[in-house]
Amino acid sequence: MKKVGAFAVVASTLFVTACSSTMNNAMTEKQKSIELYRVFDIKTSADRYEVRDAASDGLGANVSSADEHNPIVMGDVPQKPGRFKPSNAAAGMGEQMGGMMQLAMKMNSSLSNMLKTAECEGAVWTATARRTVSNAFDMSFNLCLWEYQEGYALDVYANYTKLEGGGFLGIDGLAREAAYAISGSPEAWAEKTVLDVVREIKSRTGGEITYLEGYPKLETTPWQDSGEVFNSEGVLAPAED
């Protein structure tokens, strides 16, 4: 009987400890910084202005603000498109302004994310956009459109700060769940924004959109909900029944 009683005490202690750990994890507010990129090939005979305008309108449907540029690109159209390069201005600023600035940026991932961008050397159109949902996420996008001899290439880089935890019934937790219910999760919103850009390009130019690469793994739900998916060849096409 003593052994049984001792076992029961140990088992109950482990159960309480496990529950306590789970509850503590749920109560802990977490701030996660996430980066995403997508690379697309666009085959179309449309000129750069049509492709640019379609991309701009698709982007504008999902963001709070956008800053667009149309650089002068001279010379022959290249055989291969360019490729974006991630750039982190926070690193340089931290070095210049000292240890306190570096510490502040480490503690405020949202501030640090705002300074992460994409360099688009040689692109014919670039856009920097933001989407902020209170108590949920702060997201930024960089888009680069290149023209090359076989069509166009579109690179999309996004980064966002996602808040999690903070309690099941806390004010912040409830506000966050309400925000997600209205706007969708950050992951879904990022994919929807990308989807609306490439879908608008396809619709307006009649082009063929091919997904080449990206990180993290492509979230399929927003694409499927639109009635289109990327098939085994990576081409955006109507979903098969």
Side-chain angles (χ1 to χ4, degrees):
M1 291 295 293
K2 290 184 177 180
K3 291 183 178 180
V4 173
F7 176 79
V9 171
V10 171
S12 62
T13 301
L14 291 175
F15 177 76
V16 171
T17 301
C19 289
S20 177
S21 297
T22 301
M23 288 294 294
N24 185 67
N25 185 53
M27 295 296 292
T28 302
E29 184 169 272
K30 300 176 182 178
Q31 187 169 265
K32 296 183 177 181
S33 297
I34 302 171
E35 295 181 73
L36 169 151
Y37 83 93
R38 302 281 181 250
V39 177
F40 301 95
D41 183 62
I42 304 167
K43 293 293 193 297
T44 178
S45 58
D47 63 37
R48 72 170 69 170
Y49 308 107
E50 293 178 86
V51 179
R52 175 202 66 190
D53 290 346
S56 175
D57 291 345
L59 177 66
N62 292 287
V63 297
S64 307
S65 62
D67 185 15
E68 302 181 27
H69 296 272
N70 299 278
I72 295 176
V73 180
M74 304 178 69
D76 296 333
V77 176
Q79 290 186 344
K80 295 182 178 181
R83 176 60 59 87
F84 85 98
K85 294 181 180 179
S87 176
N88 188 355
M93 289 179 61
E95 291 176 1
Q96 294 178 6
M97 302 185 72
M100 291 300 293
M101 185 64 177
Q102 292 182 31
L103 179 60
M105 288 183 175
K106 286 181 180 179
M107 295 178 64
N108 189 335
S109 57
S110 179
L111 173 61
S112 182
N113 269 5
M114 289 175 62
L115 297 172
K116 289 182 179 179
T117 60
E119 296 181 359
C120 311
E121 185 176 355
V124 297
W125 174 79
T126 66
T128 301
R130 298 195 66 79
R131 172 70 177 181
T132 301
V133 177
S134 298
N135 294 304
F137 59 84
D138 182 23
M139 184 177 298
S140 68
F141 290 90
N142 291 96
L143 289 81
C144 316
L145 179 70
W146 284 275
E147 183 178 13
Y148 76 111
Q149 291 183 7
E150 295 182 14
Y152 301 86
L154 176 70
D155 290 9
V156 181
Y157 168 76
N159 66 76
Y160 55 93
T161 300
K162 176 183 178 181
L163 298 178
E164 291 183 349
F168 295 113
L169 299 177
I171 297 299
D172 289 343
L174 289 173
R176 190 173 308 128
E177 290 304 313
Y180 285 170
I182 295 171
S183 66
S185 69
E187 293 82 357
W189 192 270
E191 295 292 6
K192 181 183 183 302
T193 302
V194 177
L195 166 63
D196 284 350
V197 172
V198 299
R199 186 169 55 183
E200 190 69 18
I201 294 173
K202 180 182 178 182
S203 173
R204 299 256 288 267
T205 69
E208 181 180 272
I209 310 291
T210 303
Y211 173 62
L212 299 181
E213 65 173 275
Y215 176 85
K217 183 179 179 181
L218 189 71
E219 292 286 339
T220 59
T221 302
W223 304 88
Q224 291 171 337
D225 289 347
S226 74
E228 295 180 299
V229 296
F230 285 101
N231 60 27
S232 58
E233 297 179 349
V235 177
L236 184 62
E240 298 180 358
D241 296 330

